[in-house]
Amino acid sequence: MFLIGMFLVGFLPGFRVAAAEAAGGKVVINELLASNKDTNRDEDGHSSDWLELYNPSPARVNLSGYRLSDDLADQEKWIFPDVSIPPGGYLLLWMSGKNRCEQSALTGIVHASFRLSKRGGRLFLIDPRGELVDRVKFPKQMSDQSYGRSPDGSPAWFYFVTPTPHAANTKKPFFGPLNTKVEISPPPGRHPRRIEVNIVATTARRLTIRYTTDGTRPTIASPVFTDTFYISDNTIVRAAGFIGSERATKELRADYFIGLPGRLPILSLLMDKDEFSFVQLKSRVRGRAAERGARLVIIGDNGREAVSTGVGLRLHGQVGRLGDFDAKKSFRIYFRRKYGVARLAYPVIPGSSQQKFDVLVLRALFDDRFRKVMNRFDLRSAYIRDQVIRDLHREMGGLSPSGSWYILFVNMQFRGLYNLVERIDEDFLQAQSKTSQWDLIRGEHQGDIATVGTIEAWDTACQFIASSDLSQQDFYEKAKQYIDIKDFTGYIILNLWAQNFDWPITNWYAAKLRIENAKWVFFCWDSEFAFDLDGVGIADDSMKRLAAEEGCVTKIFNALMKSPAYRAYFGQELERHLAGVLK
């Protein structure tokens, strides 16, 4: 029996023998993943490769001074920090090249200084005395299939379709990697009528395909696919191949939208129901604490899936955050490595100056939307006021975030028509100027705040202009050194012309490059009360109302209007815009 065992260990495909010392109760390399895509992520959200060390001895082993290398000629390629493995325990070592360790006397998050190669290679574990503790030669690797000992610490190496980082290798072992692929047809996206769905596995091994149509992940308890089936409603099909009770392939997902009218693109979010309820109902929670993970699928206006990635979702806005679960609310979508892609490299907003996005705003148009008021629909809503104002401001020469229109589904439930907009932030400003060195100020009821940079330069400009007699030409000329007069004048004219009632105390931004001689420019934002939404009519004296408001924007405008030179310039610009973009 001993000879038969040695024959199997030495010659069966997939087996490798570790150094003799590995069987003597010392720390061993127990599992590795050299092509990590979707298995797990490090603390930075990166899908770094990794290896796992196992301590089979009854005593804690301190690894300080141990060395790891992929070349015996360079035994000090990477030296372990002061970390330990408990008896019978594991240490996950990220092979990321980051070369760092969380400060801890016993355990920590450890990153080696070099990476693994999915083409295969060698690893050597050497103790502080220079003695070889363990070694492994690993062949070419498959994505998200690990290579490890079974059972833990034994000399026999196998492949695992379900990696077990920082845990025992108890999953079903395979002599070789599983080159399998599951395909769902037709392609995901928008379809005009009922479709027939087929699921096919391309593999040399016998798989059982299991699938779901309710958005949940397929498990061993899910239905077995035996024949094509039809769907007539919006449905998410998810499928995977199983060998016995273990999932042996990547999960595949297809989002189908059946019979939707029109051609507007679709944003589809899939997330745990309780997680979405938290986002929707916890209106007082702000920042990262308010964010929950979701899966985002974008169906382009051609009806085909264009994006599928993990994202973070949280509420956006102020008053519009209120309401129950069924209320239409605004959201922010964050792209982070911990969820999926770090930035969205897709032209989700036509005309945007940004090539990649780290955050997007889904505006629900809280005020400018159809809704019931006293058991009847308010027909003054138009859905487009804010977008029209931003577009007009851009045509007038101002900086303005671009926007587009999408239909939103959450867990395949229709949530309404949304205005997807660039957020005015550091990335947006950098796209305009190729630099992130900006100060960005937002108007709030409680006072102006800096959302990027500092507020000192803004306070200086506002205080000087508001406290100076600009009827004197010298003071007026100095004021022009602070404010981009042409930009500010066009911004004011547009908001007066459109009768923007929810302004200028709030709903404005101002930005300035942090360089010498840079001037403040202004942005339109949240202009839903424009174009007579309140029903006051064109008889309203917008100029008089603006002059009576408080806040820095009004103070600047009132001060400028004391200047005869500015009043003449304002009149010229008014005539120009009324004969041009605002005609």
Side-chain angles (χ1 to χ4, degrees):
M1 291 297 293
F2 175 77
L3 292 176
I4 294 175
M6 291 302 294
F7 174 83
L8 290 175
V9 169
F11 295 99
L12 275 180
F15 280 85
R16 295 294 183 272
V17 182
E21 291 87 351
K26 297 182 179 180
V27 172
V28 297
I29 300 168
N30 199 52
E31 185 181 11
L32 61 87
L33 183 62
S35 182
N36 183 10
K37 289 190 175 180
D38 300 315
T39 296
N40 58 345
R41 294 178 182 270
D42 64 19
E43 72 276 16
D44 297 325
H46 300 160
S47 55
S48 301
D49 297 338
W50 50 263
L51 65 81
E52 172 194 83
L53 298 180
Y54 170 58
N55 176 17
S57 73
R60 178 178 292 275
V61 175
N62 187 286
L63 295 175
S64 179
Y66 275 67
R67 286 160 280 173
L68 184 72
S69 180
D70 55 5
D71 183 0
L72 274 180
D74 183 12
Q75 295 188 15
E76 297 191 0
K77 185 165 187 176
W78 184 73
I79 301 176
F80 278 81
D82 186 13
V83 292
S84 299
I85 309 180
Y90 307 88
L91 175 71
L92 186 67
L93 174 61
W94 292 104
M95 304 300 297
S96 63
K98 298 177 183 179
N99 193 27
R100 70 177 188 231
C101 175
E102 178 186 89
Q103 295 302 312
S104 173
L106 297 177
T107 61
I109 302 173
V110 188
H111 291 259
S113 62
F114 63 98
R115 297 179 172 87
L116 300 177
S117 172
K118 65 181 180 181
R119 295 189 297 273
R122 298 175 184 267
L123 287 170
F124 304 94
L125 182 64
I126 303 160
D127 71 13
R129 298 170 297 177
E131 295 183 4
L132 184 63
V133 176
D134 192 17
R135 67 188 176 198
V136 60
K137 179 181 179 181
F138 60 96
K140 182 178 179 180
Q141 300 292 293
M142 293 286 292
S143 295
D144 295 311
Q145 296 184 29
S146 65
Y147 189 60
R149 302 176 187 268
S150 182
D152 291 339
S154 75
W157 285 77
F158 297 89
Y159 286 88
F160 300 93
V161 295
T162 304
T164 56
H166 213 276
N169 297 343
T170 57
K171 298 297 183 180
K172 181 179 176 61
F174 294 90
F175 289 131
L178 297 184
N179 189 6
T180 60
K181 185 178 181 181
V182 176
E183 294 181 339
I184 302 177
S185 62
R190 185 198 298 261
H191 295 268
R193 60 187 66 84
R194 183 179 80 152
I195 59 174
E196 183 179 15
V197 178
N198 189 29
I199 309 174
V200 177
T202 305
T203 177
R205 298 175 182 269
R206 183 174 179 81
L207 292 179
T208 299
I209 300 175
R210 297 183 180 273
Y211 73 101
T212 63
T213 56
D214 60 358
T216 60
R217 285 188 164 184
T219 67
I220 190 62
S222 301
V224 175
F225 176 79
T226 57
D227 198 2
T228 59
F229 58 93
Y230 290 90
I231 57 173
S232 302
D233 299 312
N234 300 335
T235 303
I236 298 176
V237 177
R238 302 174 77 169
F242 288 76
I243 296 178
S245 62
E246 186 175 355
R247 183 167 64 85
T249 70
K250 289 184 178 180
E251 178 194 299
L252 197 63
R253 162 183 164 168
D255 294 42
Y256 295 112
F257 296 87
I258 311 298
L260 292 181
R263 295 189 60 182
L264 281 177
I266 296 169
L267 289 176
S268 178
L269 292 167
L270 177 66
M271 60 193 306
D272 180 86
K273 294 179 181 178
D274 291 337
E275 298 279 75
F276 180 63
S277 294
F278 177 90
V279 171
Q280 183 77 346
L281 298 177
K282 298 292 184 179
S283 59
R284 295 184 181 274
V285 182
R286 301 286 180 134
R288 286 286 187 99
E291 190 173 307
R292 292 296 183 269
R295 189 75 183 176
L296 170 69
V297 167
I298 298 179
I299 308 297
D301 54 14
N302 63 354
R304 293 293 174 256
E305 181 181 294
V307 172
S308 178
T309 184
V311 296
L313 185 73
R314 66 170 83 161
L315 286 179
H316 170 83
Q318 302 295 331
V319 179
R321 302 168 68 91
L322 305 178
D324 59 17
F325 180 81
D326 293 325
K328 186 184 179 186
K329 301 182 181 183
S330 297
F331 301 101
R332 290 184 199 166
I333 298 175
Y334 286 88
F335 300 91
R336 309 188 195 278
R337 287 193 184 277
K338 65 177 290 186
Y339 302 121
V341 297
R343 291 174 180 265
L344 177 65
Y346 172 74
V348 64
I349 300 178
S352 169
S353 57
Q354 298 188 65
Q355 302 300 313
K356 296 182 179 180
F357 301 88
D358 68 342
V359 60
L360 293 165
V361 177
L362 268 174
R363 291 183 54 81
L365 309 168
F366 176 77
D367 296 300
D368 187 20
R369 60 186 171 88
F370 293 108
R371 52 187 170 171
K372 279 188 176 181
V373 179
M374 300 296 291
N375 294 321
R376 65 182 181 83
F377 282 103
D378 183 353
L379 300 180
R380 290 174 300 184
S381 300
Y383 278 91
I384 63 173
R385 284 177 168 86
D386 185 51
Q387 179 76 51
V388 168
I389 290 291
R390 285 185 279 107
D391 289 345
L392 288 173
H393 192 207
R394 188 182 307 106
E395 291 184 37
M396 292 170 67
L399 291 178
S400 180
S402 299
S404 190
W405 301 99
Y406 282 81
I407 302 171
L408 177 66
F409 286 84
V410 178
N411 294 332
M412 302 308 281
Q413 298 297 310
F414 176 71
R415 301 295 299 191
L417 176 66
Y418 275 77
N419 187 203
L420 188 70
V421 185
E422 296 175 281
R423 188 183 181 210
I424 303 177
D425 59 11
E426 197 166 11
D427 285 335
F428 170 79
L429 295 172
Q430 185 169 359
Q432 317 306 315
S433 62
K434 310 305 179 185
T435 176
S436 60
Q437 300 302 304
W438 287 80
D439 289 329
L440 178 65
I441 310 301
R442 184 178 71 217
E444 296 284 358
H445 284 289
Q446 65 271 26
D448 305 342
I449 62 172
T451 62
V452 175
T454 64
I455 202 169
E456 283 77 13
W458 172 252
D459 285 342
T460 298
C462 187
Q463 289 170 10
F464 170 79
I465 296 175
S467 62
S468 300
D469 181 6
L470 300 193
S471 64
Q472 299 183 38
Q473 188 65 22
D474 289 347
F475 285 121
Y476 173 59
E477 292 299 328
K478 188 171 182 180
K480 289 163 63 177
Q481 296 175 17
Y482 289 103
I483 302 294
D484 186 323
I485 294 296
K486 181 178 181 181
D487 174 85
F488 179 76
T489 303
Y491 168 80
I492 291 291
I493 288 172
L494 174 60
N495 281 278
L496 292 174
W497 174 83
Q499 292 186 303
N500 186 2
F501 292 158
D502 196 14
W503 167 86
I505 297 297
T506 62
N507 298 328
W508 59 267
Y509 284 86
K512 182 183 75 68
L513 279 166
R514 291 198 294 271
I515 60 175
E516 189 176 358
N517 299 324
K519 301 178 182 181
W520 289 97
V521 295
F522 294 79
F523 302 85
C524 296
W525 184 257
D526 196 4
S527 306
E528 295 176 11
F529 270 95
F531 301 114
D532 196 32
L533 181 65
D534 268 358
V536 177
I538 60 175
D540 177 71
D541 190 336
S542 298
M543 184 81 80
K544 182 178 180 180
R545 181 177 51 79
L546 170 61
E549 291 282 1
E550 297 180 355
C552 201
V553 171
T554 294
K555 291 177 181 178
I556 292 173
F557 178 70
N558 287 341
L560 285 172
M561 290 301 287
K562 293 178 182 178
S563 165
Y566 181 74
R567 290 198 300 272
Y569 177 76
F570 184 88
Q572 294 170 6
E573 287 295 279
L574 180 62
E575 291 182 1
R576 182 171 71 87
H577 288 304
L578 289 178
V581 174
L582 304 182
K583 185 175 181 180

